[in-house]
Amino acid sequence: MADADPGTVPAVESTADDIAAMRIRGAATIADA
C-alpha cells in the first residue's frame, strides 16, 4: 500500500497488503489478523 497514511502502524499496513493479495482469506482469519 504505497499510498498509506504516514501514521499507519506497519503491522496494519502489512496485514492490509496480505488481505489485498489474498494471502489472508476468510472472515475469521481476517478478524484474527
Side-chain angles (χ1 to χ4, degrees), residues 2-24:
D3 60 343
D5 178 14
T8 303
V9 177
V12 173
E13 185 175 349
S14 174
T15 299
D17 287 339
D18 288 344
I19 292 168
M22 298 298 287
R23 288 186 290 266
I24 298 175

